[in-house]
Amino acid sequence: MVDRNLLREFDISDEEFSTAVFTEDGHDEDPMASFLEEGQEYVLNTIVHGKVIDIVGDQAVVDVGYKAEGLVPLNEWDEHEGRPVPGDEVEVLLEGMDDDTGEILLSRRKAHRMRAWENVISKHAEGDVVTGRVTKKIKGGLLVDIGVNVFLPASQVDIRRPSDIGDYLDTEIQCMILKIDEGRRNIVVSRRKLIEEQRARQKEKLLSEIEIGQVRKGVVKNIADFGAFVDLGGIDGLLHITDMSWGRINHPSDMVRIDDTIEVMVLNVDRDREKIALGLKQKSPSPWENIGEKYPEGSRVAGEVVNVMSYGAFVKLEEGIEGLVHISEMSWTKRINHPSELVQIGDKVDVVVLGINRDKQEISLGMKQTQPNPWDQVAQKYPPGTMVDGTVRNLTNYGAFIEIEEGIDGLLHISDMSWTRKIGHPNELLEKGQQVSCQVLNVDQERKRIALGLKQLKQDPWETDIPDRYHPGDVVVGKVTKLTNFGVFVELEPGLEGLLHISELAEHKVDSPEEIVNVGDDIEVKILRVDRGERKIGLSKKKAAWSKEEIEAEETQAQAPSAGAVAGTAPAPPKKDSSLKGGLGGGGPLFSMPAAEAEAAAEPEADSEPEADSGTEQEAASVAEAVAESEPEAVAELEPEAAEEPKAEAAPEPTEPETEAEKTEG
């Protein structure tokens, strides 16, 4: 709200407009009568003509035709008017008289303001357009001199309220008169209203003329992160950041500034919604038009790195043409976690064009293709049987990856770590960073995989002394190393274990091995079977004290039911109430057991069991899938070679007790 005193433009109160009289004895008396010649009339707060008759100090003595003269301060003459001199004609406002000095009170400044007001009122009405200079910034707006000071509210300065209306000081502007209050001698004007009406006329004209493809001049009015708004004369069109340049732009301010006059092409016109899309780059041909001719696939070109992301680096080949070097196309051998390990913004690099998608305006580039692929020479460099030294780079549940040179890894499968020891996880033998020597078993150059062996560095003891040192019927002492639901593993010597099946723990039926033994116990066992082909040793605790004759008798009795069945006679009951049947995984049953127990412990015959160490290629692929499903995190963290098919020993253990024993024994 405008200050009331400010709106009283001439500093004249309501009382000043009245011809005040006063009485002392109840009779009206004119206080100016003593100043007037006989027959003279006067009206307070009116303009009268006078003449300067003298200059006294800083005041001019002015004769207005009354008995007494009035005084007007010299500061009521502007500097450009010059100092008054006797004889000058002046117009002054008759304000009253000073009883103490006997002088008439006059004001030249107020007379000028009143004349200016009368002049403005006589020439202008509400709705007229006036021109004036901004003279002062006040609370709520600006003062504009159009002959008298008028009020321009801040909300009416422009269509979009400026950040600082003080920027308009001492500038000449056009406004529309919104309201004239003659009683308060106040005028309110609006520049915004004038602009809106002008833009409405311009908008109507522009929409009737504008067409797609035209090039027009405009003024940048606003800038946002996504583009710039350009005033075409009545309508603001949007110049999107993607339509500013064929090249890379970080922000629209890189291309344009507010109040810039620019030429733009009309890309689209929505007359119903009064929206116009503009473009700058469309004024020049697209560099993608003949991209295939300039950069054929397979060609080697030089470029500059302009952006680095987690998935790759963008390389500028020319203005407006950028290609992506994916992180997987940066090096043949180096394991790269982030492209910034190899390149930085501003680097000059050589790349090979891998592919072009003209519709999407995309180019795939490669950096590693500028260098020879080391895998092309791996088969020749590391034939099977080669001895190599490497570093353990990673451990999985089915093996260890050994780096034999930078970026070249081989898989040391868990089954190729020891001839005799049952290894549950590679960390039982190896640790990350350890230096090891291995033998190359196989090279799959096409799939970029190398199979390594550790146990192959030594002679297979199963082919030499184990069958010579351990014989069926021998009683030996071993240490319990592992308990399972189907039996006990017993270490006979470092790296060599035998399986003590649960049925061979005691004469009576045992539900759990923990009832009889514990891990770490030293126990006496009898060797039942040494299977060189299966690399397994079958043990028995309950038969450790049996004689050879007792064991042979049980074997004979175990075979009796078959003969009886052929003859049509009922089989004789066994001598013992529990015994091992096929528990060692090969060659058919060695001992018989009661039918109830046989049914409870039933398992496939050894002849039908698949070979664990010599599975087909199809079986290896199935195992690899099982490993990938059961260990997704371990596989995900590896390089492509981590998908190496684990051997059959890495497969999940079967649920049948005796089959499990056969797969894990020895």
Side-chain angles (χ1 to χ4, degrees):
M1 180 178 290
V2 181
D3 185 74
R4 183 178 179 84
N5 292 329
L6 176 64
L7 298 179
R8 297 182 182 281
E9 187 65 37
F10 309 118
D11 300 324
I12 301 174
S13 65
D14 294 338
E15 290 76 14
E16 289 179 314
F17 286 98
S18 64
T19 54
V21 297
F22 62 92
T23 62
E24 293 181 354
D25 54 3
H27 300 284
D28 292 342
E29 181 178 346
D30 190 343
M32 287 288 292
S34 61
F35 290 87
L36 303 175
E37 300 288 349
E38 186 177 351
Q40 280 185 317
E41 295 181 357
Y42 77 95
V43 179
L44 289 179
N45 294 318
T46 59
I47 296 174
V48 296
H49 291 276
K51 180 183 292 187
V52 177
I53 60 174
D54 196 7
I55 303 296
V56 179
D58 59 353
Q59 298 190 56
V61 181
V62 179
D63 180 11
V64 293
Y66 296 158
K67 289 181 181 180
E69 292 82 19
L71 297 177
V72 179
L74 293 179
N75 61 14
E76 294 195 7
W77 275 265
D78 295 334
E79 292 183 2
H80 68 274
E81 294 178 309
R83 184 184 178 92
V85 296
D88 286 351
E89 298 286 340
V90 294
E91 280 190 336
V92 291
L93 182 70
L94 181 59
E95 296 186 288
M97 60 94 181
D98 189 334
D99 292 333
D100 296 333
T101 62
E103 296 174 350
I104 299 173
L105 300 180
L106 305 174
S107 174
R108 180 176 183 270
R109 180 173 293 159
K110 290 183 179 181
H112 276 203
R113 289 180 180 176
M114 186 172 288
R115 286 296 187 206
W117 171 262
E118 292 172 352
N119 184 52
V120 169
I121 293 299
S122 64
K123 292 182 179 179
H124 300 291
E126 292 181 357
D128 288 354
V129 177
V130 294
T131 302
R133 180 172 292 275
V134 180
T135 59
K136 190 176 183 181
K137 177 182 177 182
I138 60 172
K139 182 179 180 181
L142 300 170
L143 288 182
V144 182
D145 184 5
I146 63 171
V148 295
N149 281 335
V150 297
F151 179 60
L152 173 59
S155 63
Q156 300 298 315
V157 172
D158 207 340
I159 294 177
R160 299 181 185 88
R161 184 165 179 166
S163 57
D164 184 7
I165 60 176
D167 295 339
Y168 287 85
L169 286 174
D170 295 326
T171 61
E172 194 170 85
I173 61 175
Q174 279 192 322
C175 304
M176 178 181 288
I177 297 176
L178 294 183
K179 184 178 180 181
I180 298 176
D181 188 341
E182 293 191 40
R184 297 183 176 182
R185 300 189 181 186
N186 178 49
I187 297 177
V188 179
V189 297
S190 171
R191 181 171 177 266
R192 174 180 176 176
K193 180 72 173 177
L194 177 62
I195 294 174
E196 286 176 343
E197 290 192 358
Q198 290 173 344
R199 285 178 64 86
R201 292 190 295 270
Q202 292 173 344
K203 181 189 297 184
E204 184 178 355
K205 183 173 183 287
L206 180 64
L207 287 175
S208 65
E209 298 175 348
I210 196 166
E211 297 292 343
I212 295 175
Q214 290 179 345
V215 175
R216 286 181 170 268
K217 285 187 177 181
V219 179
V220 179
K221 288 298 183 183
N222 196 18
I223 296 177
D225 291 339
F226 54 84
F229 291 95
V230 181
D231 183 3
L232 300 176
I235 300 180
D236 285 353
L238 174 61
L239 174 59
H240 198 270
I241 186 172
T242 57
D243 291 312
M244 288 185 170
S245 172
W246 294 110
R248 176 180 295 271
I249 299 176
N250 295 319
H251 194 271
S253 58
D254 296 341
M255 294 289 295
V256 295
R257 297 284 187 274
I258 292 179
D259 293 332
D260 282 356
T261 299
I262 59 176
E263 276 193 347
V264 289
M265 178 176 287
V266 179
L267 304 182
N268 188 43
V269 179
D270 187 339
R271 288 182 168 80
D272 294 334
R273 300 171 63 189
E274 297 182 351
K275 292 184 179 294
I276 300 175
L278 306 173
L280 269 177
K281 70 181 185 182
Q282 287 78 5
K283 295 194 302 176
S284 59
S286 170
W288 288 87
E289 289 181 359
N290 57 345
I291 190 69
E293 299 175 4
K294 291 189 293 184
Y295 303 104
E297 292 187 16
S299 60
R300 179 169 177 165
V301 293
E304 178 184 354
V305 178
V306 293
N307 198 14
V308 178
M309 307 296 289
S310 60
Y311 52 84
F314 288 92
V315 177
K316 182 175 75 173
L317 306 183
E318 64 175 73
E319 191 64 34
I321 300 295
E322 292 179 8
L324 172 64
V325 180
H326 193 267
I327 189 171
S328 63
E329 302 295 343
M330 289 188 165
S331 175
W332 291 113
T333 58
K334 289 184 179 179
R335 285 173 287 275
I336 305 170
N337 296 316
H338 195 277
S340 59
E341 297 173 12
L342 289 184
V343 295
Q344 302 292 331
I345 293 177
D347 287 354
K348 305 295 184 181
V349 294
D350 286 337
V351 292
V352 172
V353 178
L354 304 181
I356 297 176
N357 188 327
R358 183 172 176 177
D359 294 335
K360 294 184 177 181
Q361 295 188 350
E362 295 175 348
I363 299 181
S364 299
L365 304 174
M367 288 174 54
K368 69 183 183 182
Q369 287 76 9
T370 62
Q371 302 292 330
N373 184 356
W375 276 96
D376 292 341
Q377 290 81 38
V378 165
Q380 292 77 23
K381 191 174 181 180
Y382 301 106
T386 304
M387 301 294 296
V388 293
D389 294 324
T391 304
V392 178
R393 188 179 62 82
N394 200 11
L395 299 176
T396 72
N397 64 331
Y398 56 85
F401 285 95
I402 312 296
E403 184 179 56
I404 58 178
E405 65 176 66
E406 185 178 15
I408 303 295
D409 287 354
L411 174 62
L412 173 57
H413 195 272
I414 194 171
S415 63
D416 289 314
M417 291 184 178
S418 174
W419 291 112
T420 59
R421 182 174 175 180
K422 174 64 177 179
I423 300 173
H425 194 278
N427 59 16
E428 298 174 16
L429 284 182
L430 305 171
E431 59 183 21
K432 291 181 69 172
Q434 180 179 344
Q435 298 293 317
V436 294
S437 296
C438 300
Q439 184 181 96
V440 176
L441 304 181
N442 183 47
V443 176
D444 188 338
Q445 186 165 303
E446 184 176 337
R447 301 173 68 186
K448 296 182 174 61
R449 294 177 181 177
I450 300 176
L452 302 176
L454 185 61
K455 69 183 183 181
Q456 287 79 4
L457 298 179
K458 299 178 181 178
Q459 193 171 7
D460 183 0
W462 279 95
E463 299 296 332
T464 56
D465 61 338
I466 288 181
D468 296 333
R469 290 189 290 112
Y470 295 94
H471 308 90
D474 290 351
V475 176
V476 294
V477 175
K479 184 182 292 292
V480 176
T481 58
K482 184 179 180 182
L483 303 180
T484 70
N485 62 344
F486 56 83
V488 178
F489 285 96
V490 179
E491 185 180 53
L492 304 180
E493 63 181 59
L496 179 63
E497 291 178 340
L499 174 63
L500 172 58
H501 194 270
I502 190 171
S503 62
E504 295 295 330
L505 279 170
E507 297 287 347
H508 60 278
K509 182 178 180 180
V510 178
D511 294 325
S512 176
E514 288 86 349
E515 300 174 9
I516 307 299
V517 296
N518 295 305
V519 173
D521 288 354
D522 290 325
I523 61 174
E524 189 177 73
V525 292
K526 177 170 286 189
I527 297 176
L528 300 180
R529 176 175 174 241
V530 178
D531 190 331
R532 177 182 297 183
E534 295 283 335
R535 299 173 184 272
K536 297 175 182 178
I537 298 178
L539 306 173
S540 174
K541 182 176 182 298
K542 72 179 183 180
K543 296 184 177 71
W546 285 18
S547 66
K548 182 177 180 182
E549 291 74 13
E550 289 178 311
I551 295 176
E552 291 176 350
E554 186 178 59
E555 290 178 353
T556 303
Q557 191 173 18
Q559 296 172 357
S562 298
V566 174
T569 60
K575 180 180 180 180
K576 304 292 183 180
D577 61 352
S578 65
S579 60
L580 178 67
K581 175 190 177 185
L584 302 179
L590 297 180
F591 303 98
S592 64
M593 63 177 68
E597 288 187 34
E599 181 178 356
E603 59 189 44
E605 293 295 333
D607 291 340
S608 63
E609 182 184 33
E611 293 289 341
D613 292 336
S614 58
T616 64
E617 198 170 338
Q618 182 177 1
E619 290 172 332
S622 300
V623 173
E625 292 177 2
V627 170
E629 292 176 0
S630 62
E631 298 290 337
E633 295 180 357
V635 175
E637 70 179 1
L638 303 177
E639 264 49 58
E641 65 268 27
E644 181 79 29
E645 297 94 324
K647 298 191 179 180
E649 290 184 13
E653 296 180 343
T655 57
E656 290 81 9
E658 295 184 357
T659 303
E660 180 64 25
E662 295 171 358
K663 285 183 173 287
T664 56
E665 181 181 319

